[in-house]
Amino acid sequence: MNTLQSADYIVFLIYFVIVASYGMYIYRSKKNATTSSNDYFLAEGSLTWWAIGASLIASNISAEHFIGMSGSGFAIGLAIASYEWMSAATLIVVAMFILPVYLKNKIFTMPQFLAKRYNGTVSTIMAIIWLLIYVFVNLTSIIYLGALAISSIAPISFQFCVIGLSLFSVIVTLGGMKVIGYTDMFQVIVLILGGLVTTYLSLTLLSEQFGFGKDILKGLSVIADEAPGHLHMILEKSNPHYAELPGISVLVGGMLINNLAYWGCNQYIVQRALGADLKTARKGILFAAFLKLLVPIIAVLPGIAMYVMHQSGMFQQEMVDAAGVLKPDHAYPTLMNLLPAGLKGVALAALTAAIVASLAGKANSISTIFSLDIYKKYFNRNATERKLVLTGRWCVVVAMFIAALVAPALKSLDQAYQFIQEYVGFFSPGVLAIFLLGMFWKKTTPTAGLAGALLTVPIAAVLKFLPMWTNGAFPDYPFLDRMTISFFIIVFLMVAISLLNPQSENQLEAHKIEVDKSMFKVSSEFIIGSFIISGVLVALYTVFW
């Protein structure tokens, strides 16, 4: 099954040539006479709203969506789409209330915000944590899942896929944020079109299997008839997957905390908007929120369709590993292998676009944090702009090399998407608490910020492993609920520390972040767009509750 025809190679080659050529054109046409670090890392002032929105999505969507979310769609159902649809709502909140704070205070990196609001110690601790997460969780999982997917649908070895994806991503990343931002628009078009091709195939196959011919609408009705339990957004406690998506927590609990931390306090996400003015950045984020509504159609729906087909007796061998164990993450590669010549090349290009764009975005942010918040701060305070850019480029190469070495170790995973969400969730509650209190409660002290940075992982670890250590005497909470508990514990501790050891007015002024009501005014266009997106979300959750 994992073979490519001549048409597939031609389509993929066309994709590669277009991306490489367009990236080179952007690099040369927009290259300044002197390369500044802000220009290289942030593309300062040069990204349009559509480039910002597309880059946000391209950096976010990767193999863990196509492969991981389809796998979770197979195992859990539509409920996994909450990660995407609630992200759309979160992006609106970030654009309204969090982004203006960064732009008003000229923040270029997340550690820079922490250094300005708290102190260098808090900043450095979090910078190191972010670098470790980005390299050992984000980059490695994307390379692993991407290589697994491509080697499953093409006659290319897993090891060669790891090397090829890493090299392609390094080439794109070395051009800086301008190249990434503008090529991401093309990458997003490719990944959405390619994703829709696979969705179309899955629904028409399902329709044919039940005797209705190639009819997409009939395919959807088959899912409604054969797998109604897979079409609920809010899971009941009796559902075997309740621990992964615990009921109402996907709306107002841990999911909200997870999304606010990801979209509002995450370097490789926020970085796309930091080089633009507020109006342009808000338009870009709203565009990203709209695109987020489409992601479950191309990432979750194929997995649900595959579940119904598997239950009806199809693809029994394809969905198990060598030991005969059912592997939900095989759903998407299995579907891609069924595409006809040419269209399989389109789907492969879409998958590669998602992987490369996401790797490039994360690698650029790794280099930004390391160069500006570690290297310049501790190794070379007088580094020239050229030296910072050169350091950033070397950092990209080293980070990608490390991730490529570690990636094969993830082969034991079942649902990779859920693994990523849970372990990134060890850090998210503390990160969000530190940022929100730092922005909106001026009495928060540097000591409280340090406590939040140091305690976020231990608190999460205790909540996860205490039931095991106590033989079930302590409740085993779902990980999204653990994130909610962790967040409120950290907020309580930070507030208590700040009140018990308050700072003087002069000390508070030294750590001041400018926040005023005028920053939060939004245009009528933004309000209309927000209402449309919110209305769609309300309708979706009402229909699929």
Side-chain angles (χ1 to χ4, degrees):
M1 293 288 283
N2 59 334
T3 58
L4 296 177
Q5 304 299 319
S6 297
D8 298 317
Y9 287 111
I10 292 170
V11 168
F12 188 80
L13 183 62
I14 290 171
Y15 153 73
F16 181 86
V17 170
I18 290 176
V19 172
S21 301
Y22 186 53
M24 185 61 69
Y25 166 75
I26 292 295
Y27 179 72
R28 289 182 173 177
S29 65
K30 295 184 177 292
K31 184 178 181 181
N32 295 331
T34 56
T35 303
S36 71
S37 58
N38 283 349
D39 186 66
Y40 175 76
F41 294 120
L42 299 172
E44 192 168 22
S46 66
L47 292 185
T48 59
W49 64 266
W50 49 265
I52 290 170
S55 193
L56 279 168
I57 296 302
S59 183
N60 169 242
I61 297 176
S62 188
E64 73 258 32
H65 285 77
F66 282 105
I67 309 304
M69 286 202 81
S70 284
S72 293
F74 181 100
I76 301 172
L78 193 61
I80 196 68
S82 278
Y83 279 105
E84 304 307 305
W85 287 338
M86 288 308 296
S87 289
T90 306
L91 279 165
I92 295 172
V93 175
V94 169
M96 289 181 66
F97 300 110
I98 295 180
L99 184 64
V101 178
Y102 294 141
L103 295 181
K104 175 72 174 180
N105 292 276
K106 294 181 170 52
I107 299 298
F108 300 135
T109 72
M110 299 300 95
Q112 180 197 353
F113 171 85
L114 297 177
K116 185 172 183 177
R117 178 59 182 84
Y118 295 107
N119 56 37
T121 303
V122 176
S123 171
T124 301
I125 289 172
M126 292 308 300
I128 292 171
I129 288 175
W130 272 312
L131 289 174
L132 292 173
I133 293 173
Y134 291 168
V135 174
F136 290 102
V137 177
N138 295 124
L139 285 187
T140 53
S141 62
I142 294 168
I143 291 174
Y144 162 71
L145 285 170
L148 179 68
I150 292 174
S151 62
S152 298
I153 62 176
I156 308 172
S157 69
F158 176 83
Q159 291 76 11
F160 187 82
C161 288
V162 168
I163 295 169
L165 288 172
S166 302
L167 288 176
F168 192 4
S169 303
V170 166
I171 291 169
V172 173
T173 311
L174 292 181
M177 181 53 73
K178 283 180 186 175
V179 173
I180 294 170
Y182 281 102
T183 56
D184 276 352
M185 186 67 220
F186 178 75
Q187 307 271 44
V188 163
I189 293 172
V190 173
L191 71 88
I192 289 177
L193 290 178
L196 289 174
V197 165
T198 308
T199 301
Y200 173 81
L201 172 71
S202 66
L203 292 175
T204 53
L205 269 176
L206 189 58
S207 178
E208 279 188 307
Q209 171 69 6
F210 283 80
F212 298 113
K214 293 186 176 182
D215 189 324
I216 294 180
L217 295 179
K218 289 293 184 182
L220 291 170
S221 67
V222 169
I223 291 176
D225 293 336
E226 300 295 323
H230 269 52
L231 294 180
H232 291 296
M233 295 299 301
I234 308 298
L235 301 183
E236 301 290 338
K237 281 192 175 182
S238 58
N239 191 295
H241 296 285
Y242 180 82
E244 295 158 271
L245 293 164
I248 206 72
S249 289
V250 301
L251 294 178
V252 295
M255 185 72 76
L256 181 61
I257 292 167
N258 180 69
N259 279 333
L260 280 173
Y262 181 86
W263 293 104
C265 316
N266 190 333
Q267 182 67 31
Y268 68 78
I269 294 299
V270 180
Q271 187 165 337
R272 272 104 192 102
L274 294 183
D277 62 86
L278 182 57
K279 185 178 180 180
T280 302
R282 276 178 165 160
K283 279 185 179 179
I285 291 178
L286 202 61
F287 179 45
F290 168 75
L291 292 176
K292 265 295 178 184
L293 298 177
L294 304 177
V295 174
I297 297 172
I298 63 175
V300 180
L301 200 52
I304 300 174
M306 178 59 80
Y307 168 79
V308 177
M309 287 186 279
H310 182 264
Q311 292 297 102
S312 70
M314 296 176 69
F315 309 115
Q316 297 300 302
Q317 294 300 316
E318 291 86 349
M319 288 303 300
V320 298
D321 62 12
V325 177
L326 181 66
K327 286 288 185 179
D329 283 347
H330 286 192
Y332 204 85
T334 300
L335 283 170
M336 289 184 69
N337 274 322
L338 300 173
L339 287 167
L343 286 182
K344 190 173 182 180
V346 173
L348 179 60
L351 184 61
T352 305
I355 297 164
V356 170
S358 195
L359 285 173
K362 291 170 178 63
N364 181 264
S365 293
I366 290 168
S367 70
T368 302
I369 289 177
F370 179 81
S371 301
L372 301 182
D373 297 299
I374 301 294
Y375 176 77
K376 186 175 183 179
K377 198 171 179 180
Y378 295 103
F379 296 99
N380 189 352
R381 289 181 177 273
N382 299 315
T384 62
E385 294 291 289
R386 184 175 180 279
K387 185 68 174 177
L388 285 174
V389 171
L390 185 62
T391 300
R393 286 177 171 151
W394 274 111
C395 183
V396 167
V397 174
V398 172
M400 203 71 74
F401 177 74
I402 292 172
L405 286 179
V406 175
L410 302 182
K411 284 187 176 181
S412 61
L413 297 182
D414 179 18
Q415 290 184 56
Y417 191 78
Q418 290 296 94
F419 163 82
I420 296 165
Q421 296 300 329
E422 177 165 5
Y423 284 94
V424 170
F426 272 48
F427 305 91
S428 300
V431 169
L432 184 62
I434 292 168
F435 273 77
L436 290 186
L437 287 176
M439 289 179 184
F440 302 114
W441 193 47
K442 68 177 184 178
K443 293 183 179 180
T444 311
T445 64
T447 304
L450 180 61
L454 294 175
L455 291 174
T456 181
V457 174
I459 290 173
V462 167
L463 288 172
K464 177 174 175 60
F465 297 111
L466 196 58
M468 186 190 310
W469 298 335
T470 60
N471 293 319
F474 188 83
D476 186 8
Y477 296 106
F479 83 89
L480 284 175
D481 289 346
R482 293 201 304 268
M483 288 178 65
T484 306
I485 296 168
S486 294
F487 175 75
F488 283 107
I489 289 174
I490 294 168
V491 167
F492 173 80
L493 290 173
M494 289 181 65
V495 170
I497 291 170
S498 299
L499 292 177
L500 290 172
N501 187 23
Q503 291 193 321
S504 65
E505 286 297 323
N506 289 337
Q507 289 174 316
L508 290 172
E509 191 67 26
H511 298 287
K512 184 179 179 182
I513 290 290
E514 288 188 50
V515 179
D516 59 71
K517 292 181 181 179
S518 64
M519 296 162 50
F520 306 122
K521 291 180 180 178
V522 294
S523 66
S524 57
E525 295 173 328
F526 184 88
I527 293 173
I528 293 170
S530 299
F531 270 114
I532 292 172
I533 292 170
S534 300
V536 172
L537 288 172
V538 170
L540 286 169
Y541 276 91
T542 300
V543 171
F544 296 109
W545 187 272

